[in-house]
Amino acid sequence: MLYGLGAVALWSTVATAFKVALERMTPLELMWLAALVSWALIGALVVRRGLLGEALKRGWRTAAWAGLMNPVAYYLVLFAAYDRLPGQEAMALNYTWALAMALLAVPILGQRLTLVDALAGLVAYSGVWVIATRGAVLDVAFADPLGVGLALVSTLIWALYWLLNVRDRRPPLVAQWQNFSVGVPVLTGLLLFGPGFRWHGLDGLAAGVYVGLFEMGIAFVLWQLAVGTVSRTAKVSNLIFLSPPVSLMLLYLVVGEPILPSTLVGLVLILGGLALQQWQKAPAAPGDA
């Protein structure tokens, strides 16, 4: 549970870190720097645990497409959403990925959509509507339709990534390192043949390193340790509900974002939908993911 709390504490800071970093650099520059830092950190852990031989020998066929989805596509779209939207809105919308996964599991894995799944989706996506319209729920003119669309597309990419990796037998650390080993050269090419990388001062460097170190690196390792050592996965997964209030507080205190009433209402609805989904899974046998 301490591992899980540590991961959630770090994830609670990332909305603020994204906004601070994106004030100084473009989404592509941030993505490249953060991915490079995360690749180095996870690579060091792979070597320390004696997994480098296995990482070099097998798993690259999966990594070839998985690395393009995560980190490349997912984080580029997510950072683009954060670049356009207030951090509170992008953060809240990003929480719908679990519901997107439940919906996509029907055609991809042949799972059945239950009444509770449908109700959870209805509640949560009504929250998305409240946030997207900034409280003007009867007005179909979104405040930033492209930003909202990017945030929701990022949830689809993230959900698809995990659904397509259901049969991935690579150890988590190995999989993460291989994916970043594919992603970093692609991002480097996009940067070199695109806008290039500009020096944004020590503040920009620190923000990018923080995102790579904590959001993509240490938090991932802590979460894997939590899931691997707890007797029942639901105990840890429920901790994620602690993150949004802390994220909102940090956005207010550090970035100076006034918290919109529509964000609070929408976030309550989104978390309510997720709570319904968790409640449905509560009777699952110990150890079930």
Side-chain angles (χ1 to χ4, degrees):
M1 295 298 286
L2 288 174
Y3 289 142
L5 283 170
V8 169
L10 292 177
W11 278 326
S12 298
T13 69
V14 297
T16 299
F18 289 167
K19 291 303 291 184
V20 170
L22 289 168
E23 287 175 359
R24 294 161 172 79
M25 60 183 75
T26 66
L28 180 55
E29 288 174 325
L30 174 58
M31 182 64 244
W32 175 80
L33 179 57
L36 187 64
V37 170
S38 186
W39 172 79
L41 172 67
I42 296 173
L45 291 173
V46 166
V47 172
R48 182 177 176 81
R49 295 192 179 185
L51 296 171
L52 184 60
E54 180 179 355
L56 293 174
K57 286 180 183 176
R58 59 183 66 89
W60 292 100
R61 184 175 297 179
T62 301
W65 62 263
L68 293 178
M69 290 186 72
N70 173 36
V72 178
Y74 170 67
Y75 280 107
L76 280 179
V77 173
L78 181 64
F79 289 167
Y82 268 94
D83 199 35
R84 296 187 64 89
L85 295 173
Q88 58 191 284
E89 294 184 0
M91 179 271 296
L93 295 174
N94 190 243
Y95 269 85
T96 61
W97 71 267
L99 293 154
M101 181 181 287
L103 297 174
L104 289 172
V106 176
I108 293 176
L109 300 182
Q111 293 182 1
R112 201 163 46 86
L113 191 68
T114 68
L115 182 61
V116 175
D117 285 328
L119 182 59
L122 184 63
V123 171
Y125 284 110
S126 65
V128 170
W129 185 267
V130 171
I131 292 172
T133 59
R134 294 188 181 165
V137 293
L138 299 180
D139 186 358
V140 294
F142 291 172
D144 190 328
L146 179 56
V148 171
L150 287 168
L152 293 177
V153 167
S154 75
T155 69
L156 293 177
I157 296 171
W158 192 245
L160 274 172
Y161 169 76
W162 287 110
L163 288 171
L164 295 174
N165 273 276
V166 165
R167 295 178 178 83
D168 189 354
R169 296 292 177 260
R170 296 177 297 167
L173 267 183
V174 169
Q176 190 80 340
W177 182 74
Q178 288 180 334
N179 290 355
F180 274 86
S181 296
V182 170
V184 168
V186 172
L187 291 166
T188 303
L190 290 174
L191 203 61
L192 291 177
F193 293 103
F197 186 86
R198 294 166 296 163
W199 174 248
H200 297 278
L202 290 177
D203 287 348
L205 177 66
V209 169
Y210 183 92
V211 170
L213 205 58
F214 293 103
E215 204 282 339
M216 300 179 188
I218 295 173
F220 168 81
V221 174
L222 287 175
W223 191 256
Q224 288 295 330
L225 288 170
V227 171
T229 55
V230 78
S231 60
R232 187 175 172 197
T233 308
K235 289 181 180 178
V236 175
S237 59
N238 286 333
L239 294 175
I240 204 67
F241 289 94
L242 299 174
S243 182
V246 180
S247 294
L248 289 177
M249 181 182 68
L250 289 173
L251 284 167
Y252 174 73
L253 294 175
V254 179
V255 180
E257 279 191 11
I259 306 304
L260 302 175
S262 57
T263 298
L264 292 175
V265 173
L267 186 57
V268 167
L269 289 169
I270 289 170
L271 293 179
L274 292 174
L276 271 176
Q277 198 180 43
Q278 290 287 88
W279 170 78
Q280 178 182 228
K281 295 177 180 179
D288 284 355

